[in-house]
Amino acid sequence: AINKEFQKYFKILFGGGSCSLIKMKEAELIADRAQDQHVALDRAMEELAEDRVDEDAQSTTAILKRVKERSDAVAGIDIQATPPGKTLKALNLLSGGERALTSIALLSAIMATNPSPFVVLDEVDAALDEANTVRFANILLELQKLTQFIVITHNRATMERADLLYGVTMGDDGISNLISVALSEIDDQGQTTRR
């Protein structure tokens, strides 16, 4: 379900392309990360030793079967992303902006599949240009039906989609002031009425 939503949001953010989440088994992770091989093997041996001590009565065959089941289980995921006009790439080969968009697509997929009561996003749109910020803000509008968002941002496009803005300003005297504006209270001239 998350993979399906991930593909949907990826296409929205990139205007096309394709992506997928690939389930990785422990053997594949070891092959991909040779330096982690000893750590995973040591962990498996420790677990095997603990199982042997705890369940001394079990046969060696039963223990070996459980070790094989663990190695066949999903141990992680790999993200493959292909922005429009590019070849299939691993996440670490994408540019900073492409990685940010891919991460936003994955987070959006997780929130659409399993929504939280509220989510705090701290400048996730900082690496995005104006057009991509608008796409991101539109996704937030869609997801706000399920989740309440607290978004820390400097981008105008994201702020324009907010219901309520909080900010900190500093006057000539060097004293910080907190302000809040409900965007629903702004009139046609761009003025707000304070109560």
Side-chain angles (χ1 to χ4, degrees):
I2 291 174
N3 193 30
K4 183 179 176 184
E5 291 293 321
F6 179 44
Q7 292 169 5
K8 170 188 157 188
Y9 288 112
F10 186 88
K11 288 178 181 175
I12 290 171
L13 288 167
F14 281 94
S18 64
C19 66
S20 64
L21 298 174
I22 300 168
K23 295 178 184 177
M24 302 286 288
K25 295 183 179 175
E26 186 169 357
E28 295 167 329
L29 288 175
I30 291 171
D32 286 349
R33 301 180 186 126
Q35 66 274 19
D36 293 341
Q37 182 174 9
H38 299 294
V39 174
L41 184 58
D42 290 344
R43 185 175 46 218
M45 293 304 290
E46 286 174 15
E47 289 175 1
L48 180 62
E50 289 171 8
D51 290 344
R52 187 71 178 154
V53 169
D54 292 341
E55 302 163 4
D56 200 33
Q58 280 190 343
S59 69
T60 305
T61 308
I63 293 172
L64 290 174
K65 180 181 174 189
R66 284 205 334 264
V67 168
K68 176 156 177 31
E69 288 172 359
R70 285 185 190 147
S71 67
D72 289 340
V74 175
I77 61 167
D78 189 23
I79 300 171
Q80 297 290 325
T82 309
K86 297 193 177 183
T87 58
L88 183 68
K89 291 187 176 182
L91 189 62
N92 60 350
L93 299 176
L94 298 176
S95 71
E98 290 170 335
R99 271 187 262 171
L101 287 174
T102 303
S103 300
I104 290 169
L106 182 57
L107 285 172
S108 300
I110 292 168
M111 288 185 281
T113 306
N114 188 10
S116 298
F118 67 92
V119 173
V120 178
L121 300 173
D122 187 4
E123 294 193 23
V124 296
D125 56 354
L128 305 181
D129 60 10
E130 191 72 22
N132 288 325
T133 303
V134 169
R135 291 184 189 130
F136 166 68
N138 289 337
I139 288 175
L140 288 182
L141 276 178
E142 177 186 331
L143 292 175
Q144 80 175 10
K145 299 170 188 167
L146 307 169
T147 301
Q148 181 177 1
F149 288 94
I150 300 170
V151 182
I152 300 166
T153 185
H154 291 101
N155 286 328
R156 291 181 193 157
T158 305
M159 288 186 228
E160 288 172 357
R161 300 298 197 288
D163 295 328
L164 185 62
L165 293 176
Y166 292 101
V168 179
T169 63
M170 187 181 304
D172 293 334
D173 56 2
I175 298 173
S176 298
N177 295 310
L178 297 176
I179 60 167
S180 65
V181 176
L183 295 183
S184 60
E185 296 175 1
I186 296 178
D187 62 18
D188 295 336
Q189 287 79 33
Q191 301 293 320
T192 183
T193 55
R194 293 207 175 229
R195 294 180 188 175

